[in-house]
């Protein structure tokens, strides 16, 4: 288990969204942001909510985010009682630990995946356990019955990009004694998801974010889908007015405009496929990705060397100091033009 002070130290060394302020244009492919703007309907909804004079902002927002819940429920084919809205999916992840893991109790997750699980757990005083991956992306040493309070499965995996099959998630649901949380931050870019499994497994929770596929990272919007009793438990401990008026207007409009959403996701998936093929032409090792990023390794497996070369060319990607990941880079999928420039830079770097 990594001590909290070390987690904080590691976080201090990496500032999400960091971009040098040197007056130069940078290509930013380091935080998995969507390269396209959100639906025009989002801007229109925010302006309507503001009105001519912004007077509505003096009033508190809907405490239960009713409109967003209803829109998500309609989209996912569930009753609104099965949905909770959140100030980013991180709020849901944090509240799941608060609700189901007491001080000294254990939560677990896969390494490598979203390391912030450990920070959230240790803030609450929970113990952290990790399970590694085999060469076939299977969980290494996972018990026949895991007795911890929560197990977090990032699917598709970040930063590697591979996706677990539905059959594995169902098997895992039968082996986890506590809550199984399937973190689907990138599922909109994948071929499948676990949303319908919440009907079959009482302890299954699916979390989503609108930061990636809906281009709303700046609005901090997330949600979870689970059995009503689980949602009720999360409702009791969330901040009372956790989504402001503009965020609620944005999430409702974004979820409603599925035509725009589908076009953006399609463009990113197509660019991801083309870019992955071009990387392989350069002899990079590329893990088939189901997210809006790829994890790629240069032929000499020196990820830091390539990161530095891209940085010198004002292209930001993500390099991890973790020995398990240091051989490669996580590269967010930007526009086709941005990825062409990045490929040209990789050819120069060699």
């Amino acid at each position: 288990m990594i001590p909290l002070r070390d987690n904080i130290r590691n976080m201090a060394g990496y500032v999400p969204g960091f971009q040098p302020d040197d007056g130069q244009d940078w290509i930013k492919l380091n935080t998995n942001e969507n390269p396209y703007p959100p639906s025009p309907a989002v801007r229109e909804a925010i302006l309507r909510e503001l009105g001519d004079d912004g007077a509505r902002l003096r009033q508190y927002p809907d405490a239960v985010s009713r409109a967003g819940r209803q829109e998500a429920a309609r989209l996912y084919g569930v009753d609104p009682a099965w949905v909770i809205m959140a100030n980013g999916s991180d709020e849901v992840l944090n509240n799941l630990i608060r609700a189901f893991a007491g001080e000294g109790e254990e939560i677990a997750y896969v390494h490598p995946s979203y390391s912030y699980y450990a920070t959230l757990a240790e803030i609450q005083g929970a113990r952290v356990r990790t399970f590694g991956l085999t060469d076939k992306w299977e969980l290494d040493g996972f018990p026949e019955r895991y007795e911890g309070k929560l197990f977090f499965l990032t699917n598709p995996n970040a930063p590697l990009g591979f996706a677990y099959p539905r059959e594995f998630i169902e098997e895992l649901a039968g082996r986890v004694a506590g809550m199984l949380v399937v973190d689907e931050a990138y599922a909109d870019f994948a071929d499948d998801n676990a949303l319908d499994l919440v009907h079959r497994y009482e302890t299954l929770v699916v979390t989503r974010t609108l930061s990636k596929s809906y281009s709303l990272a700046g609005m901090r919007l997330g949600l979870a889908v689970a059995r009503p009793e689980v949602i009720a438990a999360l409702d009791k401990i969330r901040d009372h007015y956790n989504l402001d008026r503009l965020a609620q207007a944005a999430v409702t409009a974004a979820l409603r405009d599925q035509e725009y959403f589908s076009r953006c996701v399609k463009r990113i998936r197509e660019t991801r496929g083309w870019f992955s093929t071009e990387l392989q032409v350069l002899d990079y090792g590329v893990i088939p990705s189901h997210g809006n990023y790829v994890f790629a390794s240069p032929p000499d497996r020196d990820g830091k060397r390539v990161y530095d070369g891209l940085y010198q060319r004002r292209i930001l990607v993500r390099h991890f100091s973790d020995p398990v990941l240091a051989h490669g880079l996580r590269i967010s999928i930007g526009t086709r033009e941005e990825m062409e420039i990045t490929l040209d830079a990789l050819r120069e770097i060699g």
Side-chain angles (χ1 to χ4, degrees):
M1 182 175 72
I2 303 172
L4 177 59
R5 62 179 179 275
D6 291 338
N7 270 330
I8 294 172
R9 189 178 300 118
N10 290 337
M11 291 168 65
Y14 169 67
V15 180
F18 169 75
Q19 182 168 324
D21 185 16
D22 59 3
Q24 301 292 326
D25 291 330
W26 288 73
I27 294 178
K28 190 170 179 294
L29 307 175
N30 62 329
T31 52
N32 295 345
E33 293 161 329
N34 196 311
Y36 306 110
S39 162
V42 170
R43 180 178 181 275
E44 293 167 6
I46 290 173
L47 291 175
R48 279 196 305 272
E49 188 63 29
L50 281 171
D52 292 335
D53 58 3
R56 286 185 181 179
L57 295 184
R58 67 183 177 81
Q59 300 173 325
Y60 285 107
D62 177 12
V64 296
S65 303
R66 189 174 293 105
R69 277 179 159 172
Q70 291 173 343
E71 195 60 40
R74 182 196 62 78
L75 178 62
Y76 299 139
V78 297
D79 188 271
W82 291 62
V83 179
I84 190 168
M85 306 305 297
N87 186 1
S89 59
D90 284 347
E91 182 190 18
V92 178
L93 301 174
N94 185 43
N95 285 349
L96 282 163
I97 297 171
R98 291 176 62 197
F100 295 103
E103 185 171 356
E105 293 180 316
E106 183 178 283
I107 71 105
Y109 64 96
V110 179
H111 177 72
S113 66
Y114 191 29
S115 60
Y116 196 47
Y117 301 137
T119 302
L120 295 173
E122 292 174 32
I123 288 171
Q124 303 301 333
R127 293 185 293 112
V128 176
R129 182 179 180 184
T130 60
F131 293 93
L133 293 167
T134 69
D135 292 340
K136 297 180 179 179
W137 312 125
E138 297 170 347
L139 301 190
D140 190 13
F142 196 78
E144 190 61 33
R145 184 72 171 170
Y146 174 65
E147 298 292 342
K149 295 298 181 179
L150 287 141
F151 184 76
F152 292 93
L153 185 74
T154 315
N155 194 44
N157 179 276
L160 298 178
F162 71 89
Y164 296 97
R166 167 186 293 267
E167 295 76 18
F168 173 75
I169 296 174
E170 292 198 71
E171 177 194 342
L172 207 59
R175 294 169 65 181
V176 173
M179 303 299 296
L180 173 60
V181 181
V182 184
D183 182 350
E184 292 193 336
Y186 300 96
D188 287 327
F189 302 102
D191 298 329
D192 202 0
N193 62 69
L195 267 175
D196 65 306
L197 296 181
V198 298
H199 294 281
R200 298 179 57 183
Y201 300 97
E202 296 180 357
T203 57
L204 182 65
V205 181
V206 173
T207 64
R208 292 283 181 93
T209 177
L210 279 80
S211 295
K212 321 298 182 185
S213 54
Y214 287 91
S215 306
L216 289 173
M219 295 298 292
R220 306 307 302 131
L221 290 162
L223 59 89
V225 180
R227 292 291 184 98
E229 56 270 26
V230 176
I231 297 300
L234 295 173
D235 244 339
K236 290 178 181 178
I237 59 176
R238 66 171 174 81
D239 289 343
H240 189 45
Y241 297 109
N242 62 331
L243 291 191
D244 64 51
R245 280 184 167 273
L246 303 186
Q248 291 188 37
V251 68
T252 305
L255 292 174
R256 189 171 291 155
D257 192 354
Q258 286 298 297
E259 182 179 352
Y260 181 90
F261 158 82
S262 298
R263 287 202 306 269
C264 282
V265 168
K266 183 174 184 288
R267 291 174 74 182
I268 290 169
R269 284 172 56 114
E270 288 174 348
T271 304
R272 180 187 71 195
W274 164 81
F275 184 67
S276 297
T277 299
E278 293 299 315
L279 284 175
Q280 290 171 325
V281 171
L282 299 180
D283 290 328
Y284 272 64
V286 182
I287 298 173
S289 176
H290 294 259
N292 65 335
Y293 53 90
V294 296
F295 190 87
S297 308
D300 64 357
R301 296 178 64 82
D302 189 348
K304 183 61 164 58
R305 177 185 67 83
V306 179
Y307 169 87
D308 289 339
L310 290 172
Y311 188 92
Q312 291 168 6
R313 292 163 174 80
R314 301 197 298 276
I315 301 171
L316 292 172
V317 298
R318 184 76 194 273
H319 177 259
F320 300 84
S321 59
D322 187 322
V324 176
L325 301 168
H327 63 283
L329 302 166
R330 190 195 68 190
I331 306 173
S332 304
I333 300 300
T335 64
R336 176 68 179 245
E337 180 184 8
E338 288 173 331
M339 305 319 290
E340 288 176 348
I341 294 171
T342 301
L343 276 172
D344 287 341
L346 292 173
R347 294 186 185 101
E348 289 180 4
I349 293 166

